[in-house]
Amino acid sequence: MFDLRRFLLVLGGTAIVLMIPAPLGLTPEAHRALALFVFTGMILSLQPVPLPIAALLVPVAQVALGIDTARGAFAPFADPVIYLILASLFLAETMRKHGLTRRLALYAIILSRGDFHRLIFILIALTAFLSMWVLNTATAAMLIPVAISIAQQIQDQSAAKRMLAVLVLAIGYGASIGGIGTPMGSGENAIANGQLSQVIDFSFLSWISYGFPVVLGLIPITWAMLLLVFRVPNLRMDLTPTLRELVRRRGLNNAERETIGVLVISIVLWVSGSTLEKWFGLPTTLLSSAMIAILAVALLSIEELIDWDDLKGVNWGIIFVIGAGLSLGDALDKTGASDWIVSLIEPALNGLPYLTILAILIASTFVLTQFMNSVTYGAILSPILVTLGVTTNIFPTRLMLPFVFTLALCYMLPNSSARMTLVAISGAVDTKSQLRSGLLVGLPSAIFVFAYFALLSLIGFI
């Protein structure tokens, strides 16, 4: 719904920046880019119009402010990372269409052998693994209905409601954790990867080398804290309904096998694509992550596993939000506004050891991302952090990666991420429980992220 009052607030905030005399050292173009920075932050946060429309207004504002032409303002919407995320959404829809996601969940139940504590761990790990290769929000949307069906199998009705809350939160948290693992796991990652790629050679494999250990570390932490927060009794579950459904489904059908095959080949090529290009003398970027993702979707279409009608319902809005973040970053960079903002921050950081900067960055990000949508926050801060890294001679990954990994820990409020919105609207978790659990699970997770990057820094791995 259109909210006129919020829209006027956005315009008012932008106008105030424009009316303030440009500070010394700030060019007129950079001054207008700062106004775009405020416009972007306000319109994506206040959302006077639906978020996808708000995102599309960012390049429109860029043109209206005279920063660039329409061609230049919309060019970041064609960045390869956009197509990587789009293809991941298509892959998620293929898995959902053919029931592969539910089959994996059924296997998880059997693997738990009816032990509820073990099931929670397996469910977090399964959700995290899937979220590494398809957008984390799409993974959460596919698996939350499975959590509801699992809770319906719990005989003790007094415990079923609490167990349902744990199951749904396990999926929400697992999706957030898994999204850390690859550039395609979340919208925040896509924006950060796009910004990093402009200043350093940062491949798909480079991201995994930093992200995957964090995923492995956060899974047991999240599992243990969830059990502690909700004081989950170790119920025994009746596996009969699950076994009956698996018998009814029989073995993997052709569509499921082909979908798994395409996904496995894609993962192998995402990890080894640049190496294979060199070995076989292939054109540069032919096996880049975005190209592999699009070719995977094309193959799914050729095999008639998915068609255009299946793809109409995917979350196209996230594509526009990522594009808006990249467009803002491009505007701040080409006008010099990023350099000016960094010149204000840099004196406060001079002389501070990296571990102090890291602690400030993670603590502030953890607090703010609970109240601001994580993709929005990533879109606003990513270009600033890249420029800050270049200017202060702190390698950009030392700032960007801790920042974006901490963004994933936005567990407390429904508006902090699309995953937490899905958790809230499922009706399984009340607001008080989501706040309490989000804090008690998220805080140890943030401490782990700090410890991880502190260790990498001390041993010279980042």
Side-chain angles (χ1 to χ4, degrees):
M1 299 289 290
F2 175 69
D3 189 317
L4 180 60
R5 287 178 297 178
R6 291 185 181 186
F7 190 69
L8 291 176
L9 279 175
V10 173
L11 294 180
T14 307
I16 288 172
V17 176
L18 288 172
M19 288 188 293
I20 296 174
L24 187 65
L26 192 67
T27 65
E29 293 79 10
H31 187 201
R32 294 196 295 273
L34 285 183
L36 178 69
F37 180 76
V38 171
F39 176 87
T40 303
M42 292 186 71
I43 201 166
L44 294 183
S45 301
L46 297 177
Q47 293 183 36
V49 294
L51 186 59
I53 305 301
L56 286 173
L57 289 177
V58 172
V60 172
Q62 187 178 160
V63 177
L65 290 168
I67 298 170
D68 204 342
T69 63
R71 181 180 295 276
F74 282 98
F77 284 75
D79 190 281
V81 76
I82 295 286
Y83 295 95
L84 177 62
I85 294 296
L86 187 61
S88 82
L89 290 171
F90 293 169
L91 285 168
E93 182 60 23
T94 306
M95 295 174 67
R96 185 208 61 77
K97 176 183 177 181
H98 297 291
L100 187 55
T101 311
R102 181 166 183 83
R103 179 183 288 277
L104 291 173
L106 293 173
Y107 287 149
I109 297 171
I110 297 300
L111 189 61
S112 73
R113 291 179 290 182
D115 184 299
F116 192 76
H117 285 186
R118 188 182 290 120
L119 174 62
I120 293 299
F121 184 89
I122 294 171
L123 203 57
I124 294 172
L126 171 64
T127 308
F129 175 76
L130 289 176
S131 295
M132 289 179 62
W133 313 110
V134 298
L135 193 71
N136 52 17
T137 301
T139 304
M142 290 188 294
L143 287 177
I144 284 176
V146 175
I148 295 171
S149 66
I150 293 173
Q152 291 171 346
Q153 298 176 26
I154 298 174
Q155 301 299 319
D156 184 353
Q157 293 302 310
S158 62
K161 185 175 181 180
R162 184 157 46 124
M163 299 306 99
L164 175 59
V166 175
L167 287 165
V168 170
L169 284 171
I171 289 171
Y173 297 163
S176 297
I177 292 167
I180 290 171
T182 66
M184 64 197 300
S186 73
E188 307 95 287
N189 292 9
I191 294 170
N193 188 64
Q195 297 293 342
L196 281 173
S197 298
Q198 293 178 11
V199 293
I200 61 173
D201 182 16
F202 199 68
S203 66
F204 196 95
L205 183 58
S206 300
W207 187 291
I208 292 178
S209 66
Y210 290 111
F212 188 60
V214 176
V215 173
L216 292 180
L218 288 180
I219 288 173
I221 292 172
T222 302
W223 173 70
M225 292 306 300
L226 259 181
L227 297 185
L228 180 64
V229 169
F230 284 90
R231 298 179 181 177
V232 180
N234 197 13
L235 300 176
R236 300 297 302 177
M237 296 180 58
D238 181 10
L239 299 180
T240 305
T242 304
L243 289 169
R244 285 175 179 167
E245 184 171 348
L246 280 175
V247 169
R248 189 167 59 249
R249 285 172 172 261
R250 299 180 181 177
L252 291 171
N253 58 40
N254 288 336
E256 290 172 319
R257 282 195 294 270
E258 290 173 7
T259 301
I260 292 173
V262 171
L263 183 58
V264 169
I265 292 170
S266 299
I267 291 172
V268 170
L269 291 176
W270 280 324
V271 172
S272 61
S274 58
T275 303
L276 293 176
E277 285 176 358
K278 294 174 184 176
W279 283 359
F280 295 103
L282 299 174
T284 305
T285 72
L286 177 63
L287 296 180
S288 64
S289 53
M291 291 288 283
I292 294 303
I294 294 299
L295 289 171
V297 173
L299 183 57
L300 292 173
S301 177
I302 292 169
E303 294 179 343
E304 298 184 350
L305 297 174
I306 198 168
D307 58 40
W308 186 247
D309 287 335
D310 297 321
L311 306 180
K312 292 178 180 178
V314 302
N315 181 14
W316 292 85
I318 187 66
I319 301 301
F320 301 143
V321 176
I322 295 169
L326 296 175
S327 183
L328 171 65
D330 183 57
L332 294 176
D333 181 59
K334 65 193 174 192
T335 60
S338 287
D339 294 328
W340 183 82
I341 294 173
V342 166
S343 71
L344 301 179
I345 302 172
E346 187 179 358
L349 300 181
N350 277 338
L352 289 180
Y354 172 68
L355 293 187
T356 303
I357 296 172
L358 180 65
I360 294 170
L361 176 64
I362 289 178
S364 59
T365 301
F366 179 74
V367 171
L368 291 175
T369 195
Q370 308 302 332
F371 303 97
M372 180 184 293
N373 182 275
S374 56
V375 179
T376 300
Y377 193 22
I380 296 170
L381 265 292
S382 290
I384 304 299
L385 286 175
V386 168
T387 305
L388 181 63
V390 172
T391 304
T392 58
N393 292 321
I394 299 175
F395 202 66
T397 54
R398 304 185 88 194
L399 297 177
M400 182 68 84
L401 293 180
F403 167 70
V404 78
F405 290 0
T406 307
L407 282 181
L409 308 178
C410 50
Y411 295 159
M412 293 177 64
L413 292 172
N415 64 320
S416 60
S417 74
R419 282 98 59 203
M420 291 302 105
T421 301
L422 289 171
V423 167
I425 65 176
S426 72
V429 188
D430 59 72
T431 303
K432 182 179 178 181
S433 296
Q434 187 167 345
L435 280 168
R436 180 170 173 267
S437 175
L439 176 62
L440 296 180
V441 176
L443 193 55
S445 301
I447 293 171
F448 173 80
V449 173
F450 169 78
Y452 172 73
F453 282 101
L455 177 61
L456 289 186
S457 174
L458 290 173
I459 62 179
F461 277 20
I462 190 171

